[in-house]
Amino acid sequence: MDATLAATLGGLVGLAVGGVAAFAFRFSERAQARAPERPEPAVPPDVAKVLAVLRSAAVVVGPYDEVRQASAPARSFGLVRGTRIVVEELLDLVRQVRRDGEIRQCDLELPRDRFGQDVLSVSARVAPVGSQLILVLVEDRTKERRVDAIRRDFVANVSHELKTPIGALVLLAEAVQHAADDPEAVQRFSNRMQVESERLTRLVQQIIELSRVQADDPVEEASVVRLDRVIDGALDRSRVDAQAKSVELVRAGENDLRVTGSEQQLVIALGNLIENAVSYSPHHTRVVVDVRRAAPDPDTAGVDGVSQIIEISVSDQGVGIPEKELERVFERFYRVDQARSRETGGTGLGLSIVKHVAASHGGAVEVWSVEGEGSTFTLQLPLRNDPTVDIPRPGGPNGATTGEGPAPAGDPGQAANGRNSPTMPAGTTVGRRPKEATR
C-alpha cells in the first residue's frame, strides 16, 4: 500500500512539473514572438517631420527646460550644450512662453569665440507646441545686419563727403560777392571754387562708377578683353596729371594677353590704381605698369579652365603707406592721410572699386608698400587660354618672361607714349615686389 501510494504521488509530481515546464516554454515562445515595445518619442512624429525640413536652427524644449530635440545648426550656433539651452536670454524667453502661452520674438547677439570679439546676430522666435513642449526657431541675420550697417555707413559717408565741397562752394560764392571790388581776391576765390567743383565732380563720378560696377555682373555679359586696350585706356586717364607733375608713365612686361570680363570695368579699376600712383608720387619720378604671367594658387590651378593668372602691377616711388593701414586701404571712404587726400582730391572710393572689380572677375588685388619708398598694387586676373587665338607664350618673340625679377635687358619697358623709354635707373624694379596680401 505504501509503495503504491508513493508511486502515485511521484507520478503526480512528475506530471505537474512537466505541465509547468510546458507552460513556461509556450510563454517564452509568445514573449519572443511579441514585437518589442517602442519607447515613447521625445517629440511627436509630426513635429519631428516639420523640424527636419526647416532651414532655421530649431530646438524643442520639454516641461522641465530639458532639450528634447535640437538641430545641428542650433548646436553649431552654441545655443545648446548637452540637454540644456546655454543662452540665458533664450531660456528666459522659453519660460515666459511656457507661463502665458504667448508667442515671443527677440534679437540676440551671440559670441562666436571665447573672447566675444566676433558676434553672431540672430533672430529668435519662441512658440508653444501642444501643452508641454516649446519650440525655438533661430535665424542667422549676421549677413543682413552687416549689409544694413554698410549701407547706412555708405549713405552717411556720401552725405558727409558731398556736404564738404558743397558747403565750401557756398562760402566761396559769398566771399566772391563781398570781394567784388578786389580783383585779386575774386581770382583767388574763383580758383578755389574750381578746385572744390572738381572735387565734387570726381566724388560724384566715383559714386556712379561704384554703383555701376556693383550692378553689372561681368560674368553674365563676358567677352574677350585685350589687356593692351585696357592698359592704354587706363594710362590715358592719368596722362595730363602725370605731365603736370613730370611723372613718367612706363609700360613694361608682356603684350597681347587676354582675359574674360568687362573691358570698361577693368579700365576703371586699373585707371584708379594709376591715378593714385600719380597723385601720391613726387615730381620727376615714374610710375610703372608691369604685366606678366604667374602660376595660380595650387588650390585653384586648373579650375574653370584657369591654368595661369595675369598680374598687372602699378608701382610708384611715392610716400608709401604705413604698415598698420594696409589692411584698411580698400575700405570705402577710408583715407590714410585726410589732409593729403584733400590736397590730391581723393575720395576714398577708388581702391574699393578696384577690389570689387577684381573679385567680380575671379581675381584679387594685393598691395606692398613701405613708407618713403613707394607702393605696388597688383591686380590679379585669371588668364583664359582661347585655342582659337594665338597668344604668344613666355620667352616668345616679344621677349616676355614669367619670372618675378625685372624685365630682360632687351625689353627695359615701353613708355606710355608708345616710344621706348630709357633704361630703368638702378634700384628701380619693374617686376613684382614682396607684398602684404590684402584680398
Side-chain angles (χ1 to χ4, degrees):
M1 185 65 180
D2 294 337
T4 303
L5 181 61
T8 301
L9 291 175
L12 292 175
V13 170
L15 183 62
V17 170
V20 171
F23 178 77
F25 179 76
R26 296 286 296 177
F27 182 79
S28 175
E29 284 186 340
R30 289 182 180 180
Q32 292 179 359
R34 187 183 306 161
E37 295 183 1
R38 296 181 179 178
E40 183 180 352
V43 177
D46 293 339
V47 176
K49 291 179 181 178
V50 173
L51 296 181
V53 298
L54 287 178
R55 298 180 60 182
S56 308
V59 181
V60 178
V61 186
Y64 304 102
D65 293 340
E66 77 280 9
V67 174
R68 294 286 187 91
Q69 184 169 335
S71 63
R75 297 187 182 276
S76 65
F77 288 168
L79 303 176
V80 176
R81 188 173 302 157
T83 59
R84 293 292 171 183
I85 293 178
V86 296
V87 181
E88 289 297 329
E89 297 92 335
L90 198 58
L91 187 58
D92 291 341
L93 208 63
V94 169
R95 291 168 179 170
Q96 293 175 24
V97 172
R98 182 185 295 115
R99 187 164 49 248
D100 55 24
E102 293 185 3
I103 299 176
R104 284 181 169 82
Q105 186 170 346
C106 71
D107 296 328
L108 301 173
E109 300 285 340
L110 307 177
R112 277 182 168 176
D113 53 34
R114 66 171 68 181
F115 304 107
Q117 296 180 351
D118 193 13
V119 295
L120 188 73
S121 299
V122 300
S123 175
R125 186 176 178 86
V126 183
V129 179
S131 59
Q132 293 185 329
L133 301 181
I134 302 295
L135 175 63
V136 180
L137 297 178
V138 177
E139 289 278 355
D140 184 4
R141 304 291 187 188
T142 305
K143 185 176 180 180
E144 298 174 13
R145 303 259 170 85
R146 186 180 296 117
V147 170
D148 289 340
I150 292 174
R151 185 182 295 111
R152 288 194 302 268
D153 291 343
F154 180 76
V155 172
N157 287 326
V158 168
S159 302
H160 175 73
E161 295 294 334
L162 289 174
K163 181 176 65 176
T164 302
I166 291 175
L169 288 172
V170 172
L171 293 176
L172 289 169
E174 294 177 356
V176 169
Q177 290 178 349
H178 293 303
D181 298 332
D182 187 351
E184 293 183 1
V186 170
Q187 181 66 30
R188 185 171 65 253
F189 291 145
S190 62
N191 290 339
R192 187 60 189 171
M193 291 177 67
Q194 184 177 1
V195 171
E196 292 297 334
S197 62
E198 290 176 354
R199 178 185 177 189
L200 180 61
T201 302
R202 188 180 298 108
L203 175 60
V204 173
Q205 181 62 33
Q206 290 209 324
I207 293 174
I208 294 173
E209 289 178 352
L210 181 61
S211 301
R212 183 179 298 140
V213 298
Q214 287 180 332
D216 297 339
D217 186 357
V219 177
E220 293 181 357
E221 299 181 359
S223 60
V224 177
V225 179
R226 297 177 63 93
L227 284 184
D228 292 340
R229 290 169 52 90
V230 172
I231 296 172
D232 291 341
L235 288 169
D236 286 341
R237 293 177 51 166
S238 300
R239 198 178 306 280
V240 174
D241 293 338
Q243 290 175 353
K245 299 180 65 174
S246 299
V247 173
E248 184 180 6
L249 301 179
V250 178
R251 163 74 161 89
E254 299 189 46
N255 298 313
D256 200 25
L257 296 179
R258 295 168 174 82
V259 296
T260 302
S262 168
E263 179 176 336
Q264 181 182 16
Q265 289 191 16
L266 292 175
V267 170
I268 291 174
L270 186 58
N272 288 344
L273 293 179
I274 298 174
E275 288 174 4
N276 282 354
V278 172
S279 297
Y280 290 95
S281 292
H283 287 68
H284 307 289
T285 57
R286 63 176 61 201
V287 171
V288 180
V289 181
D290 181 37
V291 183
R292 60 184 61 242
R293 305 171 196 240
D297 188 283
D299 296 334
T300 59
V303 178
D304 296 333
V306 178
S307 58
Q308 283 184 311
I309 62 174
I310 297 174
E311 293 188 340
I312 309 174
S313 300
V314 179
S315 304
D316 62 61
Q317 299 167 321
V319 295
I321 304 171
E323 184 178 358
K324 63 179 181 180
E325 308 287 351
L326 289 176
E327 293 294 331
R328 301 194 62 188
V329 294
F330 293 100
E331 295 179 9
R332 294 176 181 174
F333 295 106
Y334 183 78
R335 283 165 288 195
V336 177
D337 188 342
Q338 297 284 347
R340 188 173 182 86
S341 294
R342 283 193 293 269
E343 295 176 3
T344 59
T347 63
L349 287 175
L351 292 180
S352 63
I353 293 174
V354 175
K355 182 179 179 181
H356 185 87
V357 171
S360 64
H361 283 75
V365 59
E366 298 180 346
V367 57
W368 171 95
S369 186
V370 174
E371 286 188 273
E373 294 186 13
S375 306
T376 297
F377 285 84
T378 302
L379 182 62
Q380 298 178 339
L381 301 170
L383 172 66
R384 307 270 179 184
N385 291 329
D386 187 351
T388 64
V389 179
D390 183 18
I391 301 178
R393 307 304 302 170
N398 63 348
T401 62
T402 58
E404 302 227 347
D411 185 17
Q414 182 181 3
N417 58 8
R419 300 189 302 269
N420 289 334
S421 66
T423 304
M424 300 291 289
T428 303
T429 58
V430 174
R432 239 175 57 189
R433 306 181 189 179
K435 312 180 195 72
E436 281 282 333
T438 302
R439 295 177 183 268

